[in-house]
mmCIF file with all atom_site columns, all heavy atoms in Angstrom:
data_model
loop_
_atom_site.group_PDB
_atom_site.id
_atom_site.type_symbol
_atom_site.label_atom_id
_atom_site.label_alt_id
_atom_site.label_comp_id
_atom_site.label_asym_id
_atom_site.label_entity_id
_atom_site.label_seq_id
_atom_site.pdbx_PDB_ins_code
_atom_site.Cartn_x
_atom_site.Cartn_y
_atom_site.Cartn_z
_atom_site.occupancy
_atom_site.B_iso_or_equiv
_atom_site.pdbx_formal_charge
_atom_site.auth_seq_id
_atom_site.auth_comp_id
_atom_site.auth_asym_id
_atom_site.auth_atom_id
_atom_site.pdbx_PDB_model_num
ATOM 1   N N   . ALA V 1 327 ? 119.347 -184.875 64.626 1.00 98.00 ? 1195 ALA V N   1
ATOM 2   C CA  . ALA V 1 327 ? 118.338 -184.129 63.873 1.00 98.00 ? 1195 ALA V CA  1
ATOM 3   C C   . ALA V 1 327 ? 119.032 -183.222 62.864 1.00 98.00 ? 1195 ALA V C   1
ATOM 4   O O   . ALA V 1 327 ? 120.089 -182.661 63.146 1.00 98.00 ? 1195 ALA V O   1
ATOM 5   C CB  . ALA V 1 327 ? 117.463 -183.308 64.809 1.00 98.00 ? 1195 ALA V CB  1
ATOM 6   N N   . ILE V 1 328 ? 118.435 -183.122 61.672 1.00 98.00 ? 1196 ILE V N   1
ATOM 7   C CA  . ILE V 1 328 ? 119.000 -182.257 60.627 1.00 98.00 ? 1196 ILE V CA  1
ATOM 8   C C   . ILE V 1 328 ? 117.886 -181.521 59.883 1.00 98.00 ? 1196 ILE V C   1
ATOM 9   O O   . ILE V 1 328 ? 116.730 -181.923 59.935 1.00 98.00 ? 1196 ILE V O   1
ATOM 10  C CB  . ILE V 1 328 ? 119.833 -183.061 59.587 1.00 98.00 ? 1196 ILE V CB  1
ATOM 11  C CG1 . ILE V 1 328 ? 118.987 -184.193 58.998 1.00 98.00 ? 1196 ILE V CG1 1
ATOM 12  C CG2 . ILE V 1 328 ? 121.116 -183.591 60.197 1.00 98.00 ? 1196 ILE V CG2 1
ATOM 13  C CD1 . ILE V 1 328 ? 119.666 -184.924 57.863 1.00 98.00 ? 1196 ILE V CD1 1
ATOM 14  N N   . GLY V 1 329 ? 118.263 -180.466 59.208 1.00 97.00 ? 1197 GLY V N   1
ATOM 15  C CA  . GLY V 1 329 ? 117.314 -179.746 58.369 1.00 97.00 ? 1197 GLY V CA  1
ATOM 16  C C   . GLY V 1 329 ? 116.467 -178.728 59.113 1.00 97.00 ? 1197 GLY V C   1
ATOM 17  O O   . GLY V 1 329 ? 116.834 -178.267 60.191 1.00 97.00 ? 1197 GLY V O   1
ATOM 18  N N   . ASP V 1 330 ? 115.327 -178.401 58.516 1.00 95.00 ? 1198 ASP V N   1
ATOM 19  C CA  . ASP V 1 330 ? 114.462 -177.336 59.035 1.00 95.00 ? 1198 ASP V CA  1
ATOM 20  C C   . ASP V 1 330 ? 113.994 -177.552 60.459 1.00 95.00 ? 1198 ASP V C   1
ATOM 21  O O   . ASP V 1 330 ? 113.574 -176.608 61.134 1.00 95.00 ? 1198 ASP V O   1
ATOM 22  C CB  . ASP V 1 330 ? 113.212 -177.182 58.139 1.00 95.00 ? 1198 ASP V CB  1
ATOM 23  C CG  . ASP V 1 330 ? 113.522 -176.523 56.812 1.00 95.00 ? 1198 ASP V CG  1
ATOM 24  O OD1 . ASP V 1 330 ? 114.718 -176.315 56.494 1.00 95.00 ? 1198 ASP V OD1 1
ATOM 25  O OD2 . ASP V 1 330 ? 112.574 -176.224 56.067 1.00 95.00 ? 1198 ASP V OD2 1
ATOM 26  N N   . ILE V 1 331 ? 114.014 -178.805 60.948 1.00 97.00 ? 1199 ILE V N   1
ATOM 27  C CA  . ILE V 1 331 ? 113.514 -179.099 62.293 1.00 97.00 ? 1199 ILE V CA  1
ATOM 28  C C   . ILE V 1 331 ? 114.479 -178.647 63.380 1.00 97.00 ? 1199 ILE V C   1
ATOM 29  O O   . ILE V 1 331 ? 114.114 -178.560 64.552 1.00 97.00 ? 1199 ILE V O   1
ATOM 30  C CB  . ILE V 1 331 ? 113.227 -180.627 62.432 1.00 97.00 ? 1199 ILE V CB  1
ATOM 31  C CG1 . ILE V 1 331 ? 112.415 -180.938 63.694 1.00 97.00 ? 1199 ILE V CG1 1
ATOM 32  C CG2 . ILE V 1 331 ? 114.523 -181.428 62.494 1.00 97.00 ? 1199 ILE V CG2 1
ATOM 33  C CD1 . ILE V 1 331 ? 110.940 -180.911 63.496 1.00 97.00 ? 1199 ILE V CD1 1
ATOM 34  N N   . THR V 1 332 ? 115.735 -178.342 62.979 1.00 96.00 ? 1200 THR V N   1
ATOM 35  C CA  . THR V 1 332 ? 116.741 -178.035 63.993 1.00 96.00 ? 1200 THR V CA  1
ATOM 36  C C   . THR V 1 332 ? 116.842 -176.546 64.307 1.00 96.00 ? 1200 THR V C   1
ATOM 37  O O   . THR V 1 332 ? 116.717 -175.686 63.433 1.00 96.00 ? 1200 THR V O   1
ATOM 38  C CB  . THR V 1 332 ? 118.126 -178.553 63.566 1.00 96.00 ? 1200 THR V CB  1
ATOM 39  O OG1 . THR V 1 332 ? 118.402 -178.105 62.239 1.00 96.00 ? 1200 THR V OG1 1
ATOM 40  C CG2 . THR V 1 332 ? 118.152 -180.063 63.607 1.00 96.00 ? 1200 THR V CG2 1
ATOM 41  N N   . GLU V 1 333 ? 117.116 -176.250 65.568 1.00 95.00 ? 1201 GLU V N   1
ATOM 42  C CA  . GLU V 1 333 ? 117.200 -174.885 66.069 1.00 95.00 ? 1201 GLU V CA  1
ATOM 43  C C   . GLU V 1 333 ? 118.492 -174.224 65.604 1.00 95.00 ? 1201 GLU V C   1
ATOM 44  O O   . GLU V 1 333 ? 119.570 -174.810 65.685 1.00 95.00 ? 1201 GLU V O   1
ATOM 45  C CB  . GLU V 1 333 ? 117.155 -174.927 67.605 1.00 95.00 ? 1201 GLU V CB  1
ATOM 46  C CG  . GLU V 1 333 ? 117.260 -173.572 68.274 1.00 95.00 ? 1201 GLU V CG  1
ATOM 47  C CD  . GLU V 1 333 ? 116.085 -172.673 67.976 1.00 95.00 ? 1201 GLU V CD  1
ATOM 48  O OE1 . GLU V 1 333 ? 114.956 -173.188 67.918 1.00 95.00 ? 1201 GLU V OE1 1
ATOM 49  O OE2 . GLU V 1 333 ? 116.289 -171.450 67.791 1.00 95.00 ? 1201 GLU V OE2 1
ATOM 50  N N   . GLY V 1 334 ? 118.376 -172.981 65.140 1.00 92.00 ? 1202 GLY V N   1
ATOM 51  C CA  . GLY V 1 334 ? 119.570 -172.218 64.800 1.00 92.00 ? 1202 GLY V CA  1
ATOM 52  C C   . GLY V 1 334 ? 120.201 -172.536 63.467 1.00 92.00 ? 1202 GLY V C   1
ATOM 53  O O   . GLY V 1 334 ? 121.252 -171.995 63.128 1.00 92.00 ? 1202 GLY V O   1
ATOM 54  N N   . ARG V 1 335 ? 119.569 -173.398 62.676 1.00 92.00 ? 1203 ARG V N   1
ATOM 55  C CA  . ARG V 1 335 ? 120.150 -173.733 61.370 1.00 92.00 ? 1203 ARG V CA  1
ATOM 56  C C   . ARG V 1 335 ? 119.395 -173.007 60.270 1.00 92.00 ? 1203 ARG V C   1
ATOM 57  O O   . ARG V 1 335 ? 118.197 -172.745 60.408 1.00 92.00 ? 1203 ARG V O   1
ATOM 58  C CB  . ARG V 1 335 ? 120.056 -175.239 61.105 1.00 92.00 ? 1203 ARG V CB  1
ATOM 59  C CG  . ARG V 1 335 ? 120.652 -176.105 62.187 1.00 92.00 ? 1203 ARG V CG  1
ATOM 60  C CD  . ARG V 1 335 ? 122.140 -176.055 62.132 1.00 92.00 ? 1203 ARG V CD  1
ATOM 61  N NE  . ARG V 1 335 ? 122.781 -177.094 62.919 1.00 92.00 ? 1203 ARG V NE  1
ATOM 62  C CZ  . ARG V 1 335 ? 123.785 -176.873 63.751 1.00 92.00 ? 1203 ARG V CZ  1
ATOM 63  N NH1 . ARG V 1 335 ? 124.250 -175.655 63.911 1.00 92.00 ? 1203 ARG V NH1 1
ATOM 64  N NH2 . ARG V 1 335 ? 124.325 -177.878 64.407 1.00 92.00 ? 1203 ARG V NH2 1
ATOM 65  N N   . PRO V 1 336 ? 120.022 -172.732 59.126 1.00 90.00 ? 1204 PRO V N   1
ATOM 66  C CA  . PRO V 1 336 ? 119.276 -172.119 58.021 1.00 90.00 ? 1204 PRO V CA  1
ATOM 67  C C   . PRO V 1 336 ? 118.239 -173.097 57.479 1.00 90.00 ? 1204 PRO V C   1
ATOM 68  O O   . PRO V 1 336 ? 118.457 -174.298 57.499 1.00 90.00 ? 1204 PRO V O   1
ATOM 69  C CB  . PRO V 1 336 ? 120.362 -171.844 56.958 1.00 90.00 ? 1204 PRO V CB  1
ATOM 70  C CG  . PRO V 1 336 ? 121.591 -172.522 57.410 1.00 90.00 ? 1204 PRO V CG  1
ATOM 71  C CD  . PRO V 1 336 ? 121.441 -172.934 58.820 1.00 90.00 ? 1204 PRO V CD  1
ATOM 72  N N   . GLU V 1 337 ? 117.113 -172.558 57.021 1.00 92.00 ? 1205 GLU V N   1
ATOM 73  C CA  . GLU V 1 337 ? 116.073 -173.429 56.464 1.00 92.00 ? 1205 GLU V CA  1
ATOM 74  C C   . GLU V 1 337 ? 116.318 -173.565 54.971 1.00 92.00 ? 1205 GLU V C   1
ATOM 75  O O   . GLU V 1 337 ? 115.622 -172.965 54.159 1.00 92.00 ? 1205 GLU V O   1
ATOM 76  C CB  . GLU V 1 337 ? 114.683 -172.853 56.760 1.00 92.00 ? 1205 GLU V CB  1
ATOM 77  C CG  . GLU V 1 337 ? 114.324 -172.971 58.248 1.00 92.00 ? 1205 GLU V CG  1
ATOM 78  C CD  . GLU V 1 337 ? 112.942 -172.408 58.586 1.00 92.00 ? 1205 GLU V CD  1
ATOM 79  O OE1 . GLU V 1 337 ? 112.236 -171.962 57.664 1.00 92.00 ? 1205 GLU V OE1 1
ATOM 80  O OE2 . GLU V 1 337 ? 112.577 -172.414 59.772 1.00 92.00 ? 1205 GLU V OE2 1
ATOM 81  N N   . LEU V 1 338 ? 117.335 -174.321 54.632 1.00 94.00 ? 1206 LEU V N   1
ATOM 82  C CA  . LEU V 1 338 ? 117.750 -174.457 53.245 1.00 94.00 ? 1206 LEU V CA  1
ATOM 83  C C   . LEU V 1 338 ? 118.008 -175.916 52.905 1.00 94.00 ? 1206 LEU V C   1
ATOM 84  O O   . LEU V 1 338 ? 118.486 -176.676 53.735 1.00 94.00 ? 1206 LEU V O   1
ATOM 85  C CB  . LEU V 1 338 ? 119.039 -173.664 52.983 1.00 94.00 ? 1206 LEU V CB  1
ATOM 86  C CG  . LEU V 1 338 ? 118.959 -172.149 53.163 1.00 94.00 ? 1206 LEU V CG  1
ATOM 87  C CD1 . LEU V 1 338 ? 120.361 -171.549 53.115 1.00 94.00 ? 1206 LEU V CD1 1
ATOM 88  C CD2 . LEU V 1 338 ? 118.098 -171.530 52.068 1.00 94.00 ? 1206 LEU V CD2 1
ATOM 89  N N   . THR V 1 339 ? 117.709 -176.266 51.641 1.00 96.00 ? 1207 THR V N   1
ATOM 90  C CA  . THR V 1 339 ? 117.962 -177.624 51.186 1.00 96.00 ? 1207 THR V CA  1
ATOM 91  C C   . THR V 1 339 ? 119.438 -178.010 51.165 1.00 96.00 ? 1207 THR V C   1
ATOM 92  O O   . THR V 1 339 ? 119.804 -179.075 51.685 1.00 96.00 ? 1207 THR V O   1
ATOM 93  C CB  . THR V 1 339 ? 117.310 -177.826 49.790 1.00 96.00 ? 1207 THR V CB  1
ATOM 94  O OG1 . THR V 1 339 ? 115.926 -178.068 49.967 1.00 96.00 ? 1207 THR V OG1 1
ATOM 95  C CG2 . THR V 1 339 ? 117.925 -178.974 49.034 1.00 96.00 ? 1207 THR V CG2 1
ATOM 96  N N   . PRO V 1 340 ? 120.319 -177.192 50.584 1.00 96.00 ? 1208 PRO V N   1
ATOM 97  C CA  . PRO V 1 340 ? 121.713 -177.642 50.478 1.00 96.00 ? 1208 PRO V CA  1
ATOM 98  C C   . PRO V 1 340 ? 122.379 -177.885 51.833 1.00 96.00 ? 1208 PRO V C   1
ATOM 99  O O   . PRO V 1 340 ? 123.205 -178.786 51.951 1.00 96.00 ? 1208 PRO V O   1
ATOM 100 C CB  . PRO V 1 340 ? 122.417 -176.503 49.732 1.00 96.00 ? 1208 PRO V CB  1
ATOM 101 C CG  . PRO V 1 340 ? 121.319 -175.758 49.070 1.00 96.00 ? 1208 PRO V CG  1
ATOM 102 C CD  . PRO V 1 340 ? 120.136 -175.882 49.959 1.00 96.00 ? 1208 PRO V CD  1
ATOM 103 N N   . THR V 1 341 ? 122.020 -177.091 52.860 1.00 96.00 ? 1209 THR V N   1
ATOM 104 C CA  . THR V 1 341 ? 122.642 -177.320 54.168 1.00 96.00 ? 1209 THR V CA  1
ATOM 105 C C   . THR V 1 341 ? 122.111 -178.600 54.792 1.00 96.00 ? 1209 THR V C   1
ATOM 106 O O   . THR V 1 341 ? 122.854 -179.338 55.436 1.00 96.00 ? 1209 THR V O   1
ATOM 107 C CB  . THR V 1 341 ? 122.418 -176.132 55.135 1.00 96.00 ? 1209 THR V CB  1
ATOM 108 O OG1 . THR V 1 341 ? 121.032 -175.772 55.107 1.00 96.00 ? 1209 THR V OG1 1
ATOM 109 C CG2 . THR V 1 341 ? 123.247 -174.927 54.730 1.00 96.00 ? 1209 THR V CG2 1
#
Side-chain angles (χ1 to χ4, degrees):
Chain V
I1196 55 173
D1198 287 8
I1199 193 90
T1200 50
E1201 179 65 38
R1203 306 286 194 227
E1205 289 180 2
L1206 297 170
T1207 280
T1209 48

